[in-house]
Amino acid sequence: MGVTRGMIAAQIDAGRWQWVVPRVYATFTGPLPRPARLEAAVRYGGAAAVLSHRTAAEQWGLVPIIEDPVHITVPYGASAISQPPLLVVHRSRAFDHIVVALDPPVTSRADTAIDMAAAEGDARAARRTLTEVLVTGRVPPVDVEHKLEVRPPPRYRQALLAAVRLVRLGVQSVLEECYAVEVEQAHGLPSGRRQGPFAVDGVTLYEDVVYDDAGAALTIRLDGRTHVLAGVAFRDRRRDNAAELAGRSRLVFGWRDLSADPCGAARDVVTVLRRRGWNDMPHCCPRCAHRADWPPAS
């Protein structure tokens, strides 16, 4: 475009332009607004670069916006490398399958969700991250399931498939996912029915987990933060009374209960299930193998 290296250097030295990353300069002074940061990252990555991972999730509205760093993905063989603290560069062999042609270009919603989860430090965190994205409804589980087949991530594939299955079975929060994995699956409990309908005052409400299919009239209620709101608390009291009148047992767990002691929650569930006629044998998870109160007494 007729701009020489010397002209660029003169503008930088005079303070009229600023260096952003190698080969990319802002033709103004002062802090870079978010659109300029994103544009600089994509231009540095080259013609095929796309926003990805956390940055793509911000663009899609899947997570709140933060300032640093910007994540891009480039094809294998591209020369771009990460430029802390502004830029993190990822590489993909499935590049042709992940791009949505927006401005700036970005990975698809499903690919973005998978990339965020696969970047976690372990399979448990990966499964929880994907569940959290899926339960918002902004990413259809069927799309993620398809992507996991056509472009398997480098790690945690089975954990991510398990997250998709749980959401498709009715899990609607990370707390419900924690119960399904850390309590039910880890201890060999029957798989409860998710979002079981229950009539209260002529209105159909939905319980988080019910064990009627296992022959036990037991309801599990998983209380997140919304359950402290006045209207929700009133509804829960009415629902408790209706369950008591119907002869149902209830157990209530919150995030602190399940994250701190899922084995204790499993012990309580087994105790009530047995009282209600369930006769199968649960098993120990690695956490409770040496607990004196496990397995619960018959």
Side-chain angles (χ1 to χ4, degrees):
M1 299 183 69
V3 179
T4 67
R5 183 181 297 272
M7 294 168 64
I8 294 174
Q11 295 287 352
I12 295 292
D13 291 341
R16 290 185 289 268
W17 292 6
Q18 58 181 311
W19 181 91
V20 183
V21 289
R23 304 184 305 279
V24 180
Y25 305 87
T27 59
F28 56 87
T29 59
L32 292 177
R34 177 176 170 80
R37 290 160 52 82
L38 301 184
E39 183 70 16
V42 171
R43 286 187 176 270
Y44 167 76
V50 295
L51 300 176
S52 64
H53 293 74
R54 168 87 195 196
T55 307
E58 293 170 358
Q59 291 294 97
W60 287 118
L62 304 180
V63 296
I65 293 176
I66 59 174
E67 289 302 317
D68 289 318
V70 177
H71 292 260
I72 63 171
T73 291
V74 299
Y76 268 85
S79 62
I81 60 174
S82 294
Q83 299 289 328
L86 174 69
L87 180 62
V88 176
V89 176
H90 307 268
R91 304 182 189 279
S92 174
R93 291 188 174 90
F95 195 83
D96 292 341
H97 302 286
I98 65 176
V99 180
V100 175
L102 299 178
D103 186 18
V106 65
T107 51
S108 73
R109 290 175 186 264
D111 288 299
T112 298
I114 292 170
D115 288 341
M116 283 185 61
E120 293 287 0
D122 57 63
R124 183 73 188 89
R127 185 169 55 208
R128 184 167 292 173
T129 293
L130 184 58
T131 300
E132 190 168 7
V133 173
L134 292 177
V135 298
T136 64
R138 297 188 180 97
V139 182
V142 65
D143 291 354
V144 173
E145 194 169 42
H146 171 69
K147 288 289 188 176
L148 288 170
E149 294 298 328
V150 300
R151 53 143 303 205
R155 56 182 183 172
Y156 309 145
R157 180 171 178 269
Q158 292 306 315
L160 302 184
L161 284 170
V164 173
R165 286 194 294 268
L166 285 173
V167 173
R168 295 186 73 172
L169 287 172
V171 165
Q172 293 189 354
S173 70
V174 174
L175 182 58
E176 292 181 31
E177 188 265 356
C178 182
Y179 179 84
V181 174
E182 304 290 352
V183 178
E184 279 189 352
Q185 295 177 10
H187 297 91
L189 306 189
S191 181
R193 176 156 39 96
R194 266 66 194 174
Q195 313 311 320
F198 196 69
V200 178
D201 297 336
V203 177
T204 300
L205 302 176
Y206 295 88
E207 298 288 12
D208 296 316
V209 187
V210 295
Y211 287 101
D212 299 63
D213 294 345
L218 169 61
T219 295
I220 303 297
R221 194 164 300 145
L222 302 171
D223 282 358
R225 293 178 181 176
T226 60
H227 288 259
V228 301
L229 301 177
V232 178
F234 173 77
R235 180 200 66 192
D236 286 348
R237 288 197 299 272
R238 296 295 302 144
R239 190 161 54 175
D240 272 342
N241 292 346
E244 180 64 31
L245 292 170
R248 299 186 63 84
S249 297
R250 287 98 58 215
L251 289 173
V252 182
F253 302 107
W255 179 254
R256 181 177 297 179
D257 304 314
L258 300 188
S259 60
D261 188 16
C263 303
R267 178 198 59 218
D268 294 346
V269 174
V270 169
T271 299
V272 178
L273 285 175
R274 284 177 170 170
R275 188 183 301 157
R276 287 288 183 166
W278 183 70
N279 296 315
D280 290 352
M281 179 59 66
H283 57 247
C284 295
C285 76
R287 291 185 182 183
C288 60
H290 303 292
R291 286 179 61 137
D293 59 352
W294 188 267
S298 301

